[in-house]
C-alpha cells in the first residue's frame, strides 16, 4: 500500500497503476478493433492528461533533449568560432573520432579526479546518507508542533547558504585564525590544522555537507513518515512491542521504498559530489585531495577552451551514472522493491 | 498488478539498456579505435605586429596640461595641481541614433546600479546623446564568464577584454568571427575624426591587431608594473624595510603576531619570484644571451623562490584564511590590519587609501621599494601592453560603428578636459565637491555609482591625479613608479601577438597545482625536478620551441 502511494505517480483516487496515459485499455470482448483505431481512441480518451503533460514534455525537449545533441562535440576538435553561426560551428569543426576520449583516459590526473570523486561518494553514502533518516525519525517523534517547527526551520536554513558562505563560516570557526584556533592559542595550545590538512579533507567536506544539507534531506523522509498508518503503532503497542521494536517493524519498513529510491538516485549521481565546495578549498589542501571530476572538467575543458575534451569527460560521467542507476535499480527489483521505475 | 499489461516503462528500460550498451561499446572502443582518431587543439600562433605599421592610426598628440612630475613611459606623469580652466574637448554630441548601446565590462568591486538608476551613468549618457547600458562583471572571475560569452557568440555591442585574457587558445578566431574590423575606420588619417583616440601612442595601437587587422581600441596602460608589496606604514612605523630576501623573512617574523590576530603576509609568491629575479615575459619565458629560450620553472632562481615561499608558509607567516580558501579577501585583511604586507597591483592604492582614510584616520599604505634577494639590482615584471581592449560587435553597420567610436572618443578625453572630469569624478555637487584648490573630492554616492564604467571602456593617456582626499598620493606614487620603471624587464616577444599552443595552456593549472603543493608543504622541494620533467614532456618543450620559433621568424 505504502509502496504505491509513495511511488508518487499514481493519480489520487484511481486504482489504475502508474502512467495512466501509457496503459493499454482492455479491448472489447469478441471484437478486436484495428490498431490505428485503438490509438486514436486512446488519444481521445487521454487527451486531457496528455495536454497536462505537454508543457513538461516540451520543457524536457527544449532544455534537455535538444541540448543533449550538443554532446557531438565530444568527437570533434570543436571550434566554437567556425562557420557563421553556432550551428555551423558543429558542422565545420573537425571530426577526430575518439581522440578526446583517448586523451582523457591517458591523463593520470583524470583517474586521480575519478578516484577522489568515488571515494567521497562512498564515504558520504555511509556517513551522510543515513543521517537525514535518523533525524527525520527523531523529529517525527517530537510531540510539540512548535518545537518541531522551530528545529525544522533551523536545520533547513543552511541549505540556502551558498558554498562560499559555508566554507567561510567553517574558516571563521575552525580555520587558523578562527574562533577555535584563537581560543586554543590564548590558552597556550597549538591549534590543529583543520582546514588545510589534505589527509582529513574527506572528513571536512563531509562535515560541511552535513551542516549544510542534513536538515534539507529530512523533508522527503518526514513526508514518508506521515503516511505510515498510526493504527499500526497502536496495534503493535497493545501487543506489547516496545519503541525499538515498533521502529524496526513499522517505521523502517514504511520508509524502505523511499530510502531505496533515494539511494538509487544518489548512485546515479555518484560522479557528482559538488563543485564550488572543492574549487574554493582546492589550494588549501592541494589538487591531489580536492580535485573531483567536475573541477577537472572545469580546468581542462572550460578554462582552456577545450570544449570537445570537456564534453567527452562529461559524456563519460553521464554514461557511468546511467549504468550505476540501472544496476542499482535491477538490484532493488531483486530485493522486491519498486525502485526508480517499475518492473513489468 | 504483475499481470497487468504495462508496456511503456518496460520498453523504456529496454531502449535504455541498449543505450548503455552503446555507451559501453563507445568507451571500450576508445582504445581500439585509436588508429582512426586524432588529437584536439592548436599548435599556437604568433604574428609580428611591427610589420603592420602602415595600418596604424595617425598619431596626433594633445597637450593640454603640463605635468608637474614628468615620467619616462610607460610610467605615468603626475599632476599635483588641478587645472582651473577645463577644456571642452568634444563639442559635438557623439550620439545621434539614441539607440541603447549594450556594454560588457568588468570591475573589481561591488556591482553598481544600472542605467536609469545611476546618476553618474545617466549624466554621461545625456552628454553622449546615446544611452550606454553596462553589464559590469566581477574582474576576478571575468575570464570564465568571457569564455562562455564568446563560445556562445552571445556578445553585446561593446565588449571590454583584459589583455591577460587574450592569449587563450582560439581567441584570434573569436575576434575574427565576433568583432568588427576597425582598420578602415581608424587607419592613417581616418583616425583624426576621433582626435582623442588619435592621441594614443602608436605603441598601444600596435597591440590591437588580430589576424593582421585592427580590431580593438586599446586602453593605454597607466600602470605597467605587475605587482607591488604594500605595507601598513601607519602600523609599522619605523620598522626598517627589507632590502634582501633574508631581511624580508626577518621582517615578516618581526611583525607576525598570531596571538593578536595579526599575520605578516597574504600569498606573495609572484612578488617573491620577482625578488629572486625569475623571468616574467609572456608568463615566465626568457631568452638567454646565446639565443636559447627557457621557462622560469626550469631555472634555479625559480627553485629558490619556491623554497623561500614555502618557508613563509612553514613559519606561519601567511594569514590562515588565505591558506584555507580561495574566498579569502586579502584586500580586506590588509585594510583591517590583519595582515601587514599585501601583494597587489598598484591600481588598488588610491581607491583603498581614499576609502580607508575615512574609516581609519592616519591610514597609510605604501609599496616597498624594489629589491632583489641578494641586494643586487632588482627586476620588475610588467608590460606596456594595453590593460584592456575594447571590441565592437561585428555587423552593426558603418553608421552605428562610427557612433560608438565617437562615444569612445568622448570617453578617451585626457586630463584637463571637462569630459575627463565628468567621466572620472561624476557631476559636481552630486558626486563630488570642489576643494579650495579646485580638486574634486568624491562622496559616497560616487563610491556607490562609479565602477569604471566609461573609464575602462576607453583608454586615455595616463595621468596620476591626486586630491585632498588622498594626500601625498601623487608624490608617493610617481616616486615609486619612477624608481621601478628603470628595472622593467625587457620582453623579447613585445612585438608579437601570441596565441599559446593548447598543450602549453592545458599544462598551466596542473603544474601550478604541484608547485602549490610544494609551497604549502604537502610535497618536498626535491619533487620540483620531477615536476619540471613532467612539464617538459607534456607540452613544455613544445612551448619552448614555439616561443623560440617566433623569435627566429
Amino acid at each position: 500500500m505504502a509502496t504505491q502511494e509513495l511511488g508518487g505517480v499514481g493519480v489520487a483516487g484511481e486504482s489504475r497503476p502508474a502512467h495512466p496515459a501509457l496503459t493499454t485499455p482492455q479491448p472489447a470482448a469478441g471484437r478486436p478493433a484495428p490498431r490505428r483505431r485503438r490509438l486514436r481512441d486512446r488519444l481521445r480518451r487521454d487527451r486531457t492528461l496528455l495536454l497536462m503533460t505537454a508543457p513538461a514534455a516540451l520543457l524536457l525537449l527544449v532544455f534537455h533533449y535538444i541540448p543533449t545533441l550538443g554532446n557531438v562535440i565530444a568527437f570533434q576538435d570543436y571550434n566554437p568560432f567556425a562557420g557563421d553561426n553556432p550551428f555551423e560551428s558543429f558542422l565545420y569543426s573537425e571530426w577526430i573520432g575518439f581522440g578526446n576520449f583517448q586523451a582523457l583516459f591517458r591523463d593520470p590526473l583524470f583517474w586521480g579526479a575519478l578516484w577522489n570523486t568515488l571515494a567521497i561518494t562512498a564515504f558520504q553514502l555511509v556517513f551522510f546518507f543515513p543521517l537525514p533518516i535518523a533525524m527525520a525519525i527523531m523529529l517525527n517523534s517530537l510531540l510539540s508542533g512548535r518545537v518541531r517547527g522551530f528545529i525544522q526551520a533551523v536545520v533547513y536554513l543552511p541549505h540556502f547558504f551558498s558554498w562560499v558562505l559555508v566554507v567561510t563560516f567553517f574558516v571563521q570557526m575552525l580555520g587558523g585564525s578562527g574562533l577555535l584556533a584563537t581560543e586554543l592559542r590564548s590558552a597556550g595550545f597549538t591549534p590543529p590544522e583543520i582546514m588545510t590538512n589534505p589527509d582529513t579533507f574527506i572528513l571536512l567536506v563531509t562535515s560541511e555537507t552535513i551542516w549544510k544539507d542534513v536538515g534539507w534531506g529530512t523533508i522527503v523522509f518526514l513526508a514518508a513518515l506521515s503516511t505510515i498508518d498510526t493504527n499500526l503503532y497502536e496495534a503493535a503497542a497493545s501487543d506489547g512491542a516496545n519503541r525499538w521494536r515498533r521502529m524496526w517493524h513499522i517505521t523502517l519498513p514504511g520508509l524502505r521504498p523511499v530510502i531505496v529510491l533515494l539511494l538509487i538516485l544518489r548512485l546515479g549521481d555518484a560522479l557528482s559530489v559538488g563543485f564550488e565546495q572543492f574549487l574554493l578549498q582546492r589550494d588549501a589542501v592541494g589538487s591531489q585531495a580536492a580535485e573531483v571530476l567536475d573541477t577537472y572538467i572545469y580546468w581542462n575543458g572550460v578554462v582552456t577552451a577545450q570544449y570537445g575534451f570537456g564534453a567527452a569527460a562529461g559524456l563519460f560521467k553521464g554514461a557511468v551514472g546511467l549504468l550505476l542507476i540501472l544496476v542499482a535499480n535491477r538490484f532493488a527489483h531483486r530485493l522486491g522493491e519498486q525502485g526508480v521505475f517499475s518492473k513489468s | 498488478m504483475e499481470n497487468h499489461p504495462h508496456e511503456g516503462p518496460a520498453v523504456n528500460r529496454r531502449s535504455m539498456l541498449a543505450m548503455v550498451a552503446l555507451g559501453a561499446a563507445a568507451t571500450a572502443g576508445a582504445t581500439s579505435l585509436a588508429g582512426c582518431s586524432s588529437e584536439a587543439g592548436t599548435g599556437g600562433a604568433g604574428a609580428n605586429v611591427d610589420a603592420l605599421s602602415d595600418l596604424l592610426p595617425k598619431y596626433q598628440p594633445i597637450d593640454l596640461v603640463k605635468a608637474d612630475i614628468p615620467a619616462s613611459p610607460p610610467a605615468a606623469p603626475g599632476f599635483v595641481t588641478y587645472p582651473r580652466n577645463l577644456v571642452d574637448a568634444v563639442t559635438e554630441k557623439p550620439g545621434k541614433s539614441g539607440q541603447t548601446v549594450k556594454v560588457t565590462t568588468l570591475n573589481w568591486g561591488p556591482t553598481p546600479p544600472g542605467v536609469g538608476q545611476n546618476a553618474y551613468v545617466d549624466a554621461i549618457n545625456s552628454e553622449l546623446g546615446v544611452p550606454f547600458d553596462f553589464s559590469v562583471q566581477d574582474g576576478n572571475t571575468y575570464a570564465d564568464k568571457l569564455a562562455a560569452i564568446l563560445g556562445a557568440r552571445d556578445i553585446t555591442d561593446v565588449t571590454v577584454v583584459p589583455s591577460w585574457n587574450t592569449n587563450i587558445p582560439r581567441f584570434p578566431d573569436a575576434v575574427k568571427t565576433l568583432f568588427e574590423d576597425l582598420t578602415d575606420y581608424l587607419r592613417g588619417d581616418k583616425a583624426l575624426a576621433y582626435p582623442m583616440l588619435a592621441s594614443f601612442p602608436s605603441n598601444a595601437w600596435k597591440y590591437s591587431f588580430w589576424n593582421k587587422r585592427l580590431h580593438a581600441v586599446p586602453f593605454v596602460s597607466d600602470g605597467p608594473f605587475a605587482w607591488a608589496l604594500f605595507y601598513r606604514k601607519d602600523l609599522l612605523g619605523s620598522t626598517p624595510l627589507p632590502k634582501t630576501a633574508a631581511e624580508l623573512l626577518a621582517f615578516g617574523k618581526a611583525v607576525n603576531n598570531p596571538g593578536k590576530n595579526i599575520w605578516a603576509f597574504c600569498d606573495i609568491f609572484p612578488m617573491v619570484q620577482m625578488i629572486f629575479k625569475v623571468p616574467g615575459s609572456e608568463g615566465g619565458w626568457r631568452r638567454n644571451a646565446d639565443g636559447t629560450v627557457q621557462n622560469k620553472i626550469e631555472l634555479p632562481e625559480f627553485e629558490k623562490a619556491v623554497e623561500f615561499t614555502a618557508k613563509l608558509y612553514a613559519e606561519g607567516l601567511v594569514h590562515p584564511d588565505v591558506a584555507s580558501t580561495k574566498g579569502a579577501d586579502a584586500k580586506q585583511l590588509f585594510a583591517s590590519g590583519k595582515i601587514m604586507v599585501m601583494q597587489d597591483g598598484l591600481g588598488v592604492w588610491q581607491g583603498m587609501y581614499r576609502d580607508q582614510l575615512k574609516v581609519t584616520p592616519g591610514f597609510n599604505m605604501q609599496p616597498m621599494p624594489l629589491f632583489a634577494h641578494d641586494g643586487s639590482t632588482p627586476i620588475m615584471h610588467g608590460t606596456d601592453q594595453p590593460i584592456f581592449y575594447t571590441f565592437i560587435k561585428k555587423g552593426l553597420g558603418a553608421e552605428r560603428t562610427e557612433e560608438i567610436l565617437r562615444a569612445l572618443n568622448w570617453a578617451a578625453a585626457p586630463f584637463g578636459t571637462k569630459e575627463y572630469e565628468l567621466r572620472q569624478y561624476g557631476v559636481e555637487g552630486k558626486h563630488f565637491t570642489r576643494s579650495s584648490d579646485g580638486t574634486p573630492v568624491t562622496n559616497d554616492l560616487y563610491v556607490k555609482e562609479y565602477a569604471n564604467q566609461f573609464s575602462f571602456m576607453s583608454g586615455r593617456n595616463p595621468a596620476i591625479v591626486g586630491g585632498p582626499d588622498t594626500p601625498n598620493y601623487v608624490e608617493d606614487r610617481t616616486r615609486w613608479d619612477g624608481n621601478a620603471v628603470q628595472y622593467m624587464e625587457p620582453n623579447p616577444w613585445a612585438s608579437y601577438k601570441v596565441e599559446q599552443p593548447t598543450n602549453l595552456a592545458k599544462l598551466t593549472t596542473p603544474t601550478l597545482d604541484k608547485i602549490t603543493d610544494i609551497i604549502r608543504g604537502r610535497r618536498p622541494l626535491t619533487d620540483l625536478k620531477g615536476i619540471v620533467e613532467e612539464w617538459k614532456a607534456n607540452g613544455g618543450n613544445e612551448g619552448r620551441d614555439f616561443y623560440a620559433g617566433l623569435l627566429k621568424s
Side-chain angles (χ1 to χ4, degrees):
Chain A
M1 187 62 216
T3 311
Q4 207 176 349
E5 276 188 32
L6 292 167
V9 276
V11 177
E14 279 190 271
S15 57
R16 246 193 267 155
H19 301 303
L22 292 170
T23 50
T24 319
Q26 302 290 337
R31 192 163 55 84
R35 196 163 171 83
R36 267 182 64 184
R37 177 72 183 277
R38 271 173 56 193
L39 182 69
R40 212 171 63 197
D41 281 348
R42 271 161 60 193
L43 283 178
R44 198 161 67 198
R45 189 198 62 198
D46 294 336
R47 67 173 174 247
T48 326
L49 291 170
L50 286 171
L51 216 62
M52 282 161 66
T53 324
L58 197 72
L59 213 66
L60 268 177
L61 185 75
V62 171
F63 291 107
H64 286 266
Y65 287 99
I66 294 179
T68 301
L69 296 177
N71 273 320
V72 67
I73 66 172
F75 306 95
Q76 292 182 329
D77 180 6
Y78 178 64
N79 179 356
F81 309 110
D84 289 334
N85 54 49
F87 184 68
E88 279 186 12
S89 60
F90 288 127
L91 292 180
Y92 293 146
S93 290
E94 191 196 343
W95 280 93
I96 56 165
F98 288 95
N100 285 324
F101 290 93
Q102 234 177 296
L104 183 71
F105 296 144
R106 212 177 41 212
D107 188 354
L109 295 178
F110 165 73
W111 296 108
L114 184 68
W115 171 250
N116 280 346
T117 313
L118 290 174
I120 291 168
T121 297
F123 191 82
Q124 295 193 346
L125 219 49
V126 178
F127 293 98
F128 173 72
F129 189 80
L131 292 182
I133 304 172
M135 190 161 195
I137 294 174
M138 245 153 55
L139 280 173
N140 198 48
S141 64
L142 279 175
L143 289 178
S144 158
R146 188 178 282 181
V147 174
R148 197 163 92 177
F150 177 74
I151 295 178
Q152 274 174 309
V154 169
V155 297
Y156 289 175
L157 201 64
H159 173 76
F160 299 98
F161 294 172
S162 73
W163 273 113
V164 181
L165 223 60
V166 175
V167 171
T168 308
F169 176 81
F170 270 74
V171 167
Q172 294 302 325
M173 286 294 157
L174 308 174
S177 70
L179 196 65
L180 179 70
T182 313
E183 288 302 318
L184 282 176
R185 225 177 262 127
S186 65
F189 296 103
T190 312
E193 280 185 18
I194 299 173
M195 301 300 294
T196 52
N197 188 347
D199 301 326
T200 54
F201 183 63
I202 202 166
L203 279 171
L204 177 68
V205 287
T206 308
S207 320
E208 285 166 356
T209 311
I210 290 173
W211 188 80
K212 188 178 192 294
D213 273 333
V214 78
W216 189 251
T218 59
I219 291 178
V220 181
F221 295 112
L222 279 174
L225 281 170
S226 69
T227 62
I228 297 175
D229 193 346
T230 44
N231 289 330
L232 292 174
Y233 289 107
E234 281 165 24
S238 62
D239 283 348
N242 66 19
R243 178 194 291 242
W244 294 106
R245 286 234 156 263
R246 293 199 296 266
M247 186 165 92
W248 186 250
H249 290 289
I250 303 172
T251 314
L252 284 178
L255 284 178
R256 205 170 70 170
V258 183
I259 295 175
V260 169
L261 182 85
L262 289 182
L263 201 59
I264 294 172
L265 291 177
R266 181 69 201 99
L267 276 178
D269 243 3
L271 297 189
S272 313
V273 286
F275 174 76
E276 282 162 284
Q277 192 187 5
F278 297 93
L279 194 70
L280 284 163
Q281 302 180 85
R282 177 190 178 85
D283 285 347
V285 296
S287 61
Q288 279 174 351
E291 187 87 294
V292 292
L293 260 191
D294 284 341
T295 52
Y296 174 84
I297 294 173
Y298 170 75
W299 293 111
N300 295 284
V302 180
V303 173
T304 52
Q306 290 279 93
Y307 298 115
F309 184 79
L315 203 58
F316 171 80
K317 202 182 129 182
V320 171
L322 187 60
L323 199 71
L324 284 174
I325 282 213
L326 291 169
V327 170
N329 200 52
R330 169 160 289 195
F331 194 67
H333 289 170
R334 283 261 170 81
L335 294 178
E337 292 293 338
Q338 197 179 27
V340 183
F341 47 87
S342 13
K343 201 177 178 182
S344 54
Chain B
M1 184 160 167
E2 283 296 309
N3 301 328
H4 202 89
H6 207 283
E7 274 175 30
V11 169
N12 277 349
R13 197 159 62 93
R14 267 201 294 278
S15 47
M16 264 162 118
L17 280 168
M19 270 167 62
V20 171
L22 268 177
T27 3
T31 37
S32 58
L33 284 167
C36 60
S37 54
S38 55
E39 298 280 301
T42 71
N48 191 335
V49 287
D50 279 347
L52 304 167
S53 49
D54 54 325
L55 298 180
L56 282 171
K58 191 179 166 100
Y59 175 56
Q60 183 186 271
I62 301 175
D63 273 317
L64 293 176
V65 192
K66 202 175 147 11
D68 300 305
I69 308 170
S72 57
F79 298 84
V80 181
T81 48
Y82 198 78
R84 289 283 173 185
N85 297 311
L86 297 175
V87 181
D88 192 358
V90 182
T91 44
E92 203 184 333
K93 255 195 200 300
K96 293 195 173 77
S97 70
Q99 211 183 326
T100 302
V101 179
K102 290 200 172 273
V103 186
T104 306
T105 178
L106 65 159
N107 192 41
W108 290 264
T111 309
V115 66
Q117 287 148 2
N118 187 319
Y120 166 74
V121 171
D122 294 345
I124 295 180
N125 278 343
S126 71
E127 193 69 15
L128 289 174
V130 51
F132 273 69
D133 182 1
F134 291 90
S135 158
V136 182
Q137 306 293 332
D138 176 14
N140 294 323
T141 55
Y142 192 64
D144 314 344
K145 182 98 185 177
L146 191 70
I149 293 173
L150 297 180
R153 306 188 186 203
D154 187 11
I155 54 162
T156 48
D157 302 328
V158 176
T159 308
V160 178
V161 179
S163 57
W164 53 91
N165 291 151
T166 59
N167 71 349
I168 56 169
R170 295 202 164 113
F171 189 76
D173 285 336
V175 170
K176 197 168 161 184
T177 311
L178 303 175
F179 300 122
E180 188 66 44
D181 178 354
L182 301 175
T183 318
D184 295 331
Y185 295 93
L186 295 170
R187 171 185 192 169
D189 286 346
K190 287 190 174 157
L192 300 181
Y194 314 98
M196 308 303 145
L197 300 183
S199 75
F200 291 175
S202 298
N203 217 19
W205 281 109
K206 78 172 189 193
Y207 287 107
S208 304
F209 284 105
W210 274 273
N211 310 307
K212 301 192 174 168
R213 302 289 287 175
L214 196 60
H215 269 286
V217 174
F219 180 102
V220 185
S221 173
D222 60 350
F225 313 111
W227 305 105
L229 277 184
F230 287 97
Y231 69 102
R232 286 289 299 271
K233 195 171 184 180
D234 53 329
L235 297 177
L236 295 175
S238 56
T239 317
L241 293 177
K243 291 191 183 64
T244 64
E247 284 178 29
L248 181 65
L249 184 66
F251 180 89
K253 282 184 188 166
V255 302
N256 207 49
N257 192 353
K260 289 204 167 134
N261 238 326
I262 292 170
W263 272 265
F265 304 109
C266 61
D267 189 65
I268 59 167
F269 184 44
M271 235 2 253
V272 171
Q273 292 181 51
M274 252 189 256
I275 290 168
F276 282 90
K277 298 193 183 183
V278 170
S281 300
E282 303 297 322
W285 293 91
R286 177 165 83 188
R287 182 181 53 184
N288 298 316
D290 60 354
T292 54
V293 169
Q294 274 181 304
N295 186 270
K296 65 179 181 188
I297 85 164
E298 310 170 71
L299 302 172
E301 291 93 317
F302 185 75
E303 188 175 342
K304 283 195 198 130
V306 170
E307 187 183 8
F308 183 83
T309 315
K311 211 180 281 170
L312 298 184
Y313 274 94
E315 301 266 0
L317 302 178
V318 178
H319 196 282
D321 284 7
V322 177
S324 302
T325 166
K326 269 196 169 69
D329 187 354
K331 289 182 179 64
Q332 215 175 1
L333 293 172
F334 181 70
S336 58
K338 291 191 174 136
I339 55 174
M340 288 295 127
V341 180
M342 166 183 76
Q343 169 194 292
D344 211 319
L346 285 147
V348 74
W349 191 351
Q350 192 171 18
M352 184 186 274
Y353 184 32
R354 182 172 47 219
D355 294 348
Q356 290 306 317
L357 263 186
K358 291 177 192 159
V359 224
T360 316
F363 180 90
N364 190 1
M365 57 191 281
Q366 292 287 334
M368 288 184 186
L370 294 181
F371 59 90
H373 62 109
D374 51 359
S376 61
T377 317
I379 65 160
M380 181 77 223
H381 291 165
T383 169
D384 62 342
Q385 263 195 51
I387 299 181
F388 306 111
Y389 298 99
T390 301
F391 294 95
I392 299 175
K393 188 179 183 175
K394 196 176 185 178
L396 293 178
E399 222 166 280
R400 180 74 163 162
T401 306
E402 282 164 5
E403 183 179 61
I404 292 173
L405 281 173
R406 283 195 302 274
L408 293 181
N409 178 59
W410 185 97
F415 181 63
T417 63
K418 288 182 176 167
E419 290 81 5
Y420 179 95
E421 185 177 273
L422 178 57
R423 195 204 61 233
Q424 206 65 27
Y425 302 106
V427 183
E428 182 171 2
K430 208 178 245 173
H431 296 100
F432 71 86
T433 48
R434 216 174 277 285
S435 69
S436 53
D437 66 347
T439 319
V441 177
T442 52
N443 59 22
D444 289 348
L445 182 69
Y446 170 84
V447 173
K448 185 180 152 207
E449 295 191 340
Y450 180 82
N452 288 302
Q453 291 98 328
F454 291 94
S455 309
F456 280 179
M457 195 178 64
S458 182
R460 73 212 54 90
N461 280 312
I464 294 170
V465 184
D469 52 350
T470 52
N472 296 323
Y473 168 71
V474 177
E475 291 84 348
D476 289 343
R477 170 78 195 262
T478 46
R479 192 182 319 118
W480 193 90
D481 280 15
N483 177 54
V485 73
Q486 57 181 318
Y487 301 125
M488 278 192 74
E489 181 193 35
N491 178 356
W493 292 272
S495 55
Y496 290 89
K497 199 87 222 170
V498 177
E499 181 200 359
Q500 278 188 29
T502 306
N503 281 339
L504 185 64
K506 267 168 72 173
L507 211 50
T508 310
T509 308
T511 310
L512 195 64
D513 280 343
K514 293 172 200 158
I515 292 167
T516 308
D517 283 344
I518 298 181
I519 289 175
R520 304 286 179 98
R522 294 186 288 261
R523 282 174 87 155
L525 183 68
T526 45
D527 276 15
L528 188 61
K529 277 209 165 58
I531 295 170
V532 173
E533 288 311 314
E534 271 176 67
W535 173 88
K536 281 182 184 166
N538 291 332
N541 283 336
E542 187 187 334
R544 186 204 337 277
D545 292 346
F546 166 75
Y547 279 103
L550 283 182
L551 293 180
K552 281 191 198 112
S553 63

